Amino acid sequence: MSVKITSVAKQLPQFCRTTEEIIPFLKVWLTGQEDRFQRKVLKIFENAGVEKRYSIMDAHEVFLNTSFEEKNDIYARESIKLAESALTKALKKAALNPQDLDYIITVSCTGIMIPSIDAYLINKLQMRQDIVRLPVTEMGCAAGLSGIIYANNFLKANPNKRAAVIAVESPTSTFQLDDFSMVNIVSAAIFGDGAACVIVSSYEEDEGPKIIDEAMYHFFNSEKMMGFKLTNSGLQMILDKSVPETIAEHFPKIVYPFLERNNISIRNVDHLIFHPGGKKIVQTVETLFGSLGKNIDDTKEVLKLYGNMSSATVLYVLERFMDKKLPKGDVGLMLSFGPGFSAQTVLLAW
């Protein structure tokens, strides 16, 4: 029995601004700061590798001094809408109904909801009452891939079942209006909002790339490298500047043993389906693979068109490969990083 990814679909929020359109709002926000600092911030946005981003709030709302409660209320309301749209699209691509699902995994880290998004989806789409739920809230950018790993393990143990993995994120909800730190500014420059859904199946007749293997790799003593601090004004980003070089240092230990246990080398991998954490991380990964004749063009394109949407982003990259109708026998390597610090990998075969 094999587990396959049968469809992937994204859903974008209603508001969209180019980086150029955001600059005037930034200038107002930076009023009163030193001229040199203002120029530095504008340059960070202009050089972030993100041309536009989508948001659940319009730009002027992001810069309003709203409370954590107000921002989280918007997150909850809009996340349900985005999740429902992404799931409906993915089901349509796979020619399935909501009642065909046995397992629903929802992942998000940019807001707080109890009950979680999946409970609302079950009611809205009248899913089966015996569907198994798994909300994942604290895996950060890696959670989209984590969800696929959890679905794979459930389906390996349960033939003739299907799972939906839905990632919904709104990093703009975490923007801190009174925080002029580099961490808050860099995260605002690279992040955007978005949602995506993956349908995974253990039905033999269902088509799609097979999940050959998956793994998680944990970096010791790195809990403070990335994450959120819960403050009175909301979720405050934690992002250590050492992340790109730490990833580069661990990269051989993450990728090569994983491929070796599947009896292949990186040269046998046709497609790199990587999470675009940010421009520096993209450049780090590109440097590591460039000498091997591999490219991460789709990863860079997703960053440029949408920004880093946390857990949903790698699914946007995956959708681009799914839409290409790749030839049978092609091999793809999925990779994402998240707080903990950890790396998640999935090996696919078309």
Side-chain angles (χ1 to χ4, degrees), residues 122-183:
I122 291 167
N123 286 312
K124 281 179 167 291
L125 299 178
Q126 289 294 288
M127 296 180 187
R128 297 206 319 269
Q129 288 185 290
D130 63 348
I131 192 168
V132 179
R133 297 170 53 199
L134 177 62
V136 180
T137 59
E138 291 152 351
M139 295 289 280
C141 293
L145 214 46
S146 303
I148 291 176
I149 291 173
Y150 302 147
N152 181 52
N153 283 300
F154 173 84
L155 294 171
K156 281 195 298 186
N158 295 278
N160 297 328
K161 301 286 184 182
R162 295 186 181 98
V165 179
I166 307 150
V168 188
E169 300 288 9
S170 173
T172 54
S173 300
T174 71
F175 177 72
Q176 301 288 303
L177 190 71
D178 298 320
D179 180 1
F180 293 94
S181 68
M182 278 297 109
V183 171

Side-chain angles (χ1 to χ4, degrees), residues 210-213 258-259 262 264 331-333 345-349:
K210 296 177 182 179
I211 299 175
I212 303 301
D213 198 6
F258 175 68
L259 294 177
N262 287 284
I264 64 171
V331 174
L333 177 65
T345 52
V346 169
L347 189 64
L348 299 175

Side-chain angles (χ1 to χ4, degrees), residues 113-260:
M113 286 178 66
I114 302 175
S116 49
I117 297 169
D118 52 313
Y120 293 91
L121 297 178
I122 291 167
N123 286 312
K124 281 179 167 291
L125 299 178
Q126 289 294 288
M127 296 180 187
R128 297 206 319 269
Q129 288 185 290
D130 63 348
I131 192 168
V132 179
R133 297 170 53 199
L134 177 62
V136 180
T137 59
E138 291 152 351
M139 295 289 280
C141 293
L145 214 46
S146 303
I148 291 176
I149 291 173
Y150 302 147
N152 181 52
N153 283 300
F154 173 84
L155 294 171
K156 281 195 298 186
N158 295 278
N160 297 328
K161 301 286 184 182
R162 295 186 181 98
V165 179
I166 307 150
V168 188
E169 300 288 9
S170 173
T172 54
S173 300
T174 71
F175 177 72
Q176 301 288 303
L177 190 71
D178 298 320
D179 180 1
F180 293 94
S181 68
M182 278 297 109
V183 171
N184 189 46
I185 289 162
V186 169
S187 62
I190 64 174
F191 281 102
D193 300 352
C197 176
V198 178
I199 305 295
V200 189
S201 174
S202 59
Y203 278 85
E204 286 297 331
E205 63 268 26
D206 287 352
E207 296 183 353
K210 296 177 182 179
I211 299 175
I212 303 301
D213 198 6
E214 32 83 354
M216 295 187 182
Y217 176 94
H218 304 283
F219 299 56
F220 288 133
N221 305 314
S222 58
E223 305 97 306
K224 296 180 180 180
M225 277 178 57
M226 181 187 288
F228 284 118
K229 179 183 179 183
L230 184 56
T231 69
N232 289 333
S233 56
L235 295 167
Q236 185 178 48
M237 175 65 74
I238 299 167
L239 185 62
D240 196 286
K241 62 182 180 181
S242 68
V243 167
E245 52 193 63
T246 304
I247 288 173
E249 178 189 338
H250 284 261
F251 212 84
K253 291 178 279 188
I254 298 166
V255 173
Y256 297 127
F258 175 68
L259 294 177
E260 284 170 11

